[in-house]
Amino acid sequence: MATTTPAAAGVSLEELLAAKERRAHRQSAWLTRFSRPLISLTLVTPGAVKDSARYRRVMDEAVRCADALLLQRGWPRLKQQTFWLPTGAEAFWCVGQAARQIKAATIELEQSHPLGRLWDFDVICPQAGVVGRRALDHAGRRCLICDAPAHQCARSRRHPLPGVIAKVEELIDGWLSAH
């Protein structure tokens, strides 16, 4: 497990784009190495700060829940690794199970856990690529603020960033107070 100190300041767009490219390269390497479906987890972290003690707790909970899900379903976990990066935590699992079944289970996890709205589980099939929500007849993610399609609000920047960050913090606070 790679570990770094949480970033004190925000990260730039260039750093985020470079991190996304590195993640895509790691995903490709894992898919090539294992030839099995890959779960790639990131967090929904609006704003420039992508790594904090609070976000690390959210990621720890997501990893714990995903591990429990795989164990509960009896799906073989060929490899798991978490990357603690200034551009935001990432976690990968290589799983010996059909990608569509994995995606259905991760959607259920995102929808049932109080922090699930902050988790972004991508499932990638080595043969078919990314298995999206629509492939399983699920609607896309909804906006944290107004419940419209999340991608529409994000692209248009419909909601002021401080309000979106406040909603994320509210979700985290609610979970922390219960745990």
Side-chain angles (χ1 to χ4, degrees), residues 57-176:
R57 293 217 29 213
V58 172
M59 181 57 105
D60 280 339
E61 178 67 4
V63 169
R64 187 193 68 73
C65 288
D67 283 340
L69 171 78
L70 298 175
L71 183 64
Q72 176 188 29
R73 305 265 174 132
W75 294 343
R77 184 178 84 172
L78 305 173
K79 184 175 180 176
Q80 192 281 327
Q81 189 169 5
T82 302
F83 305 91
W84 302 101
L85 307 168
T87 52
E90 303 173 6
F92 287 3
W93 291 259
C94 184
V95 181
Q97 187 62 32
R100 290 174 64 88
Q101 290 178 307
I102 297 167
K103 184 61 178 181
T106 60
I107 290 170
E108 182 181 315
L109 194 56
E110 288 171 344
Q111 292 176 338
S112 64
H113 194 283
L115 293 174
R117 184 57 193 89
L118 303 180
W119 303 342
D120 187 9
F121 285 100
D122 290 331
V123 176
I124 308 166
C125 174
Q127 295 80 26
V130 175
V131 178
R133 289 171 165 258
R134 294 187 200 280
L136 300 176
D137 293 326
H138 282 270
R141 286 181 161 261
R142 309 308 293 177
C143 174
L144 287 167
I145 304 294
C146 71
D147 207 37
H151 71 279
Q152 288 178 359
C153 290
R155 284 191 186 138
S156 69
R157 295 186 176 159
R158 181 175 295 158
H159 309 290
L161 184 58
V164 179
I165 292 171
K167 181 62 178 177
V168 167
E169 293 298 323
E170 178 185 312
L171 289 172
I172 295 170
D173 288 343
W175 180 77
L176 287 173

